[in-house]
Amino acid sequence: MKAVVCPRYGGPEVLEFRDVATPEPAAGEVRIKVMATSVTSGDSRMRAARFPPGLGLIARPFLGFRGPRQPILGTEIAGVVDAVGSGVTRYRPGDAVIAFPGGKMACHAEYRSVAETGAIAPKPQSLGYADAATLCFGGSTALHFLDVTTVPPGGRVLVVGASGAVGTALVQLAHHRGAQVTAVCSARNADLVRGLGADAVIDYTTTDYLGEPGAYDVIFETVGSVTARTALPLLRPGGRFAAIAAGLPDMLATIGAPGRGGRRVIAGPAKEIPAYIQQLADLAVRGVLCPVVDRTYAFGDIAAAHAYVDTGRKRGSVAILLDPAAHG
Ligand SMILES: NC(=O)c1ccc[n+]([C@@H]2O[C@H](COP(=O)([O-])OP(=O)(O)OC[C@H]3O[C@@H](n4cnc5c(N)ncnc54)[C@H](OP(=O)(O)O)[C@@H]3O)[C@@H](O)[C@H]2O)c1
């Protein structure tokens, strides 16, 4: 099969199309013919070794010194089951599915095998493959940080970076859970986030939004522009600062006793919980969570998709279609 390989860290030009072995589904696994995938901020970071501040030296022994240990990037897919291993009972060839191998990656390829009990769910019929392929990265990150921060009913939350993949999912899911959502994004994305459920929108390019002490129950920070030192005073007593794009200093701030007033910092990788994928599919079927796809590229143009994601300016997600006919 064809796969996109990242043999060393660098710009989008390091990516190469190569013929690699097509995975055989092991016992309990299904093999998915990939119809669509995505290029996420995670893929862009991994390709470029652009790790959050202070984490480069710590990350390389785990992720690879000169290039990614898993050279085929890509965290999420939508496709069709084309073969099943022994003992598989939940899926059959022909089933349309979404799957989230997440940090194990290897989705920028024509086929990907996953455990039938893993992060896989039937594709919502209402979504085309490109939309469906972008549900999981932002969606599961949002679910994790919502679950670990427990926003009180009617609580006030601030979402910094509300127009990104994680931010657009957070706005929708926090609104669905009954929170009062203030979204921080630039003016060009204000209508988008209002349409997703934001009650108030602040344009970070013209307005200082860091001056209202004790205003929020939870601050979700997805850009890396606000640190714990600035964010903690903006929280109500008992509030949580979810540093989703945290560098090392905010990760260290999660250790030890809560700060004054019981305010806490929460950071680190989102847990990849298989049940989240069915939950996201259900939320999409009910129209609670709508994928926001900024651009769709053909598989052959994946380097251009990386270059666009590298700008840090995408709205929602960037999808990759492997089969140009695979819209349904
Ligand atoms: N902890 C975890 O497990 C985890 C999981 C997933 C992602 N992440 C991290 O979370 C971060 C966000 O990921 P993502 O995929 O959502 O990113 P993304 O989609 O690339 O975010 C792009 C958006 O950020 C907005 N933006 C840029 N600068 C901003 C600022 N100063 N204030 C407010 N908005 C700003 C841009 O809007 P404008 O163009 O209008 O500025 C754009 O819409 C990344 O750093 C990623 O690595 C962490």
Side-chain angles (χ1 to χ4, degrees):
M1 67 170 182
K2 291 272 181 237
V4 181
V5 173
C6 179
R8 61 184 186 284
Y9 295 128
E13 70 285 354
V14 301
L15 299 170
E16 293 171 12
F17 277 89
R18 286 194 193 159
D19 288 312
V20 302
T22 303
E24 285 305 321
E29 283 188 347
V30 304
R31 185 174 66 196
I32 301 165
K33 177 175 164 48
V34 179
M35 308 299 262
T37 179
S38 65
V39 175
T40 66
S41 57
D43 298 315
S44 154
R45 274 188 186 284
M46 181 66 92
R47 190 212 69 237
R50 199 175 53 252
F51 303 118
L55 294 177
L57 283 177
I58 300 169
R60 280 182 192 243
F62 295 99
L63 301 175
F65 283 101
R66 291 168 180 232
R69 214 178 276 284
Q70 167 51 269
I72 302 175
L73 307 179
T75 58
E76 56 186 345
I77 47 181
V80 177
V81 173
D82 91 311
V84 299
S86 61
V88 167
T89 56
R90 299 186 188 184
Y91 296 96
R92 287 183 305 188
D95 288 347
V97 294
I98 58 171
F100 183 56
K104 295 194 184 96
M105 299 197 139
C107 292
H108 292 166
E110 290 178 310
Y111 295 89
R112 179 73 165 89
S113 288
V114 301
E116 69 157 344
T117 53
I120 178 172
K123 178 179 85 67
Q125 275 182 13
S126 52
L127 297 184
Y129 284 101
D131 283 347
T134 66
L135 267 181
C136 296
F137 176 82
S140 64
T141 306
L143 281 179
H144 166 83
F145 282 100
L146 281 163
D147 286 351
V148 295
T149 52
T150 51
V151 181
R156 277 191 76 189
V157 308
L158 184 73
V159 180
V160 181
S163 51
V166 179
T168 51
L170 273 170
V171 170
Q172 294 179 79
L173 297 175
H175 169 74
H176 175 65
R177 291 184 183 198
Q180 294 289 309
V181 180
T182 300
V184 178
C185 63
S186 66
R188 75 188 182 105
N189 293 320
D191 288 345
L192 167 74
V193 298
R194 241 183 240 111
L196 298 175
D199 300 280
V201 181
I202 301 175
D203 177 358
Y204 72 90
T205 66
T206 58
T207 310
D208 176 13
Y209 58 94
L210 301 172
E212 205 184 337
Y216 300 104
D217 294 284
V218 183
I219 297 174
F220 297 100
E221 212 288 344
T222 77
V223 176
S225 61
V226 183
T227 61
R229 205 189 161 118
T230 309
L232 288 177
L234 309 183
L235 293 172
R236 290 175 177 160
R240 300 285 182 260
F241 173 53
I244 297 173
L248 187 59
D250 279 357
M251 293 227 180
L252 294 176
T254 63
I255 302 168
R260 209 183 309 154
R263 298 170 177 89
R264 253 193 191 286
V265 180
I266 293 177
K271 271 196 193 140
E272 293 179 1
I273 297 173
Y276 276 167
I277 305 313
Q278 185 63 61
Q279 214 175 315
L280 291 167
D282 293 342
L283 288 162
V285 167
R286 290 162 54 204
V288 170
L289 179 64
C290 298
V292 176
V293 175
D294 181 346
R295 295 187 184 181
T296 300
Y297 291 82
F299 195 34
D301 295 329
I302 197 165
H306 271 261
Y308 182 53
V309 175
D310 285 357
T311 65
R313 302 260 88 92
K314 72 178 163 67
R315 295 151 56 102
S317 303
V318 165
I320 304 294
L321 266 185
L322 277 82
D323 179 348
H327 289 286

